[in-house]
Amino acid sequence: MSIRRTAMSGIALALVGSFALSACGSDDSGDDGGKVTLNFTWWGGDERSARYEEAIDLFEADHPDIEVQTSFAEFQDYWTQRSTDATSGELPDVMQMDASRLLEYANNGLLYDMSEFTDGGPLDTSTIDEELLSSGTANEQLVAIPTGTNTLALMYNPDLLADLGIDPPEWDYTWDDYNDLMHQVAEAGADRDPQVYAGGDYTMVWWFFMQYLVQQGIEPFSENGEMNFDEQDMKDWINSADSVREPEDVTFPAERAEQLLPKADFTAGEAAFQFHWDNFLSGNSADLGSDNIQLLPIPTAADGEKHMFFKPTMQLSMGSNTSHPEEAAELIDFLINSPEAGEIIGTDLGVPASSERLDAMSFEEGSLDQRIIEYEQRVRDEGAATATVPFQPEGFGALETEYVEVLSQEFGYRQIDTDEFVERWFSEAQNLLVTS
């Protein structure tokens, strides 16, 4: 059974589970002598977990009647586990939520409406921009609170580039410039052991396909879930990188990438560049063992503009089955607004959504946190962010999984070509995308 089918059947069964839970009432088995126990889970690596754990220690010290049990997983494993939780009516009291999955969970009644806690209650959302806060609304219910914002970036390793004798691109570089750079790095790194590359095949990253469509003036999805792009659009995107695959393939080899897991080519020091969300800078720095990672925007489109957008990050939600919604709201408020928690978490969850927390943050000169905030400010100042984040209909997360975790893997091993990739994705999309 594919990951996608596991996820979808899990959510469907969870709807039955939620009805059963409503009939039985809340489970208070988490209490211990008057002490409330909350479950909190997230996706991410060791760096994020260390920050969360330190912040939770501080929360528990300030709230001696609340104990927080924590867990975390990598992104895909995280959502597989949430499907299992949903099936049994045991979603965590507090969990990281992603906009790509929000409607899937909200439309199945799996998320708690937190509106009752925001008007003078324990959850202060007055510190968050209204438009940003609305990203957590579904069916007129507040079911997710964004912790911050992020945007796409090209991270690069200046030390590795200097060692190869190659300059990083300029701010206004194009997709063709980057393709040329991939050849330069592969040639310069050919005699290294292991060989050094520029990076992987960026067309296999779902969110860069979304960004490409925006650069073409296409809003990927309508609010009724209909796609506004066709097979030719996807083929054009994948074929735009043909020059880095043929006649010489200078993309990072799929076999080597698999050997390096759980590290990536970039964090293993075998690739000079990585396209990613900018808030992954801290985690990448920890994995690489170097603070010297710099940020550039995405390549410029043919019209001379970048058409970048900011995305709400790492939303926090409550499972609708929680027995302790008020205490869960207190925990979310702490993680969103507390300046002390902000000092610990930094920008690992994005540039803080809470103005109170952002204003209270202090940075060491040249720190990673300062680098991210200054990068996002420059993106704004240079007029690079002119678009809004694409609408993510129900089924968006499963579409991304099919693109990244299934078809991209086969494409990377050259088991399928562009035509088969696109044909199979559109065939699956008919089953995965929910339209109205």
Side-chain angles (χ1 to χ4, degrees), residues 70-83:
T70 61
S71 62
F72 72 99
E74 292 297 323
F75 190 77
Q76 293 300 334
D77 292 339
Y78 175 87
W79 290 111
T80 301
Q81 184 58 49
R82 296 294 77 73
S83 292

Side-chain angles (χ1 to χ4, degrees), residues 306-373:
K306 292 190 181 294
H307 304 285
M308 294 173 66
F309 50 79
F310 287 96
K311 177 176 170 289
T313 60
M314 315 299 172
Q315 297 165 315
L316 294 177
S317 292
M318 295 160 51
S320 59
N321 53 279
T322 179
S323 298
H324 308 290
E326 185 164 349
E327 289 82 358
E330 289 182 46
L331 175 59
I332 292 176
D333 180 77
F334 176 82
L335 293 170
I336 296 289
N337 288 313
S338 165
E340 292 80 11
E343 288 297 320
I344 295 168
I345 296 172
T347 56
D348 190 65
L349 304 179
V351 173
S354 166
S355 57
E356 180 180 344
R357 170 181 287 184
L358 183 59
D359 292 343
M361 286 184 74
S362 59
F363 312 105
E364 292 183 15
E365 187 65 26
S367 68
L368 298 172
D369 289 334
Q370 183 188 47
R371 208 170 300 162
I372 291 174
I373 289 177

Side-chain angles (χ1 to χ4, degrees), residues 23 44 56 105 159 237 257 305 336 360:
I56 293 299
Y105 279 72
D159 296 332
W237 163 242
E305 304 291 336
I336 296 289

Side-chain angles (χ1 to χ4, degrees), residues 4-5 8 394-395 398-399 424-435:
R4 182 270 302 175
R5 291 189 177 88
M8 296 304 288
E394 184 176 349
L399 294 175
R424 285 175 53 187
W425 187 89
F426 272 82
S427 176
E428 287 295 314
Q430 294 179 4
N431 301 321
L432 299 174
L433 192 60
V434 178
T435 59

Side-chain angles (χ1 to χ4, degrees), residues 127-162:
T127 60
I128 302 175
D129 175 80
E130 287 187 10
E131 183 177 348
L132 181 60
L133 182 64
S134 68
S135 67
T137 300
N139 306 318
E140 300 183 352
Q141 296 183 338
L142 182 62
V143 292
I145 309 294
T147 61
T149 60
N150 64 9
T151 190
L152 292 168
L154 176 66
M155 299 187 192
Y156 68 92
N157 182 336
D159 296 332
L160 182 54
L161 285 176

Side-chain angles (χ1 to χ4, degrees), residues 174-242:
T174 66
W175 291 104
D176 287 341
D177 292 336
Y178 185 72
N179 289 343
D180 291 341
L181 196 55
M182 291 185 72
H183 281 279
Q184 294 174 34
V185 174
E187 181 179 356
D191 61 351
R192 306 299 173 96
D193 186 18
Q195 183 173 349
V196 172
Y197 293 82
D201 188 336
Y202 56 83
T203 67
M204 294 294 103
V205 181
W206 169 253
W207 270 103
F208 274 89
F209 176 49
M210 295 294 99
Q211 179 67 80
Y212 166 79
L213 291 173
V214 172
Q215 287 190 335
Q216 306 308 304
I218 299 172
E219 176 61 35
F221 296 94
S222 300
E223 292 196 2
N224 65 358
E226 295 284 349
M227 285 187 288
N228 294 324
F229 58 94
D230 57 24
E231 294 189 13
Q232 190 58 51
D233 292 316
M234 188 177 286
K235 288 179 182 177
D236 288 345
W237 163 242
I238 296 173
N239 291 338
S240 70
D242 275 350

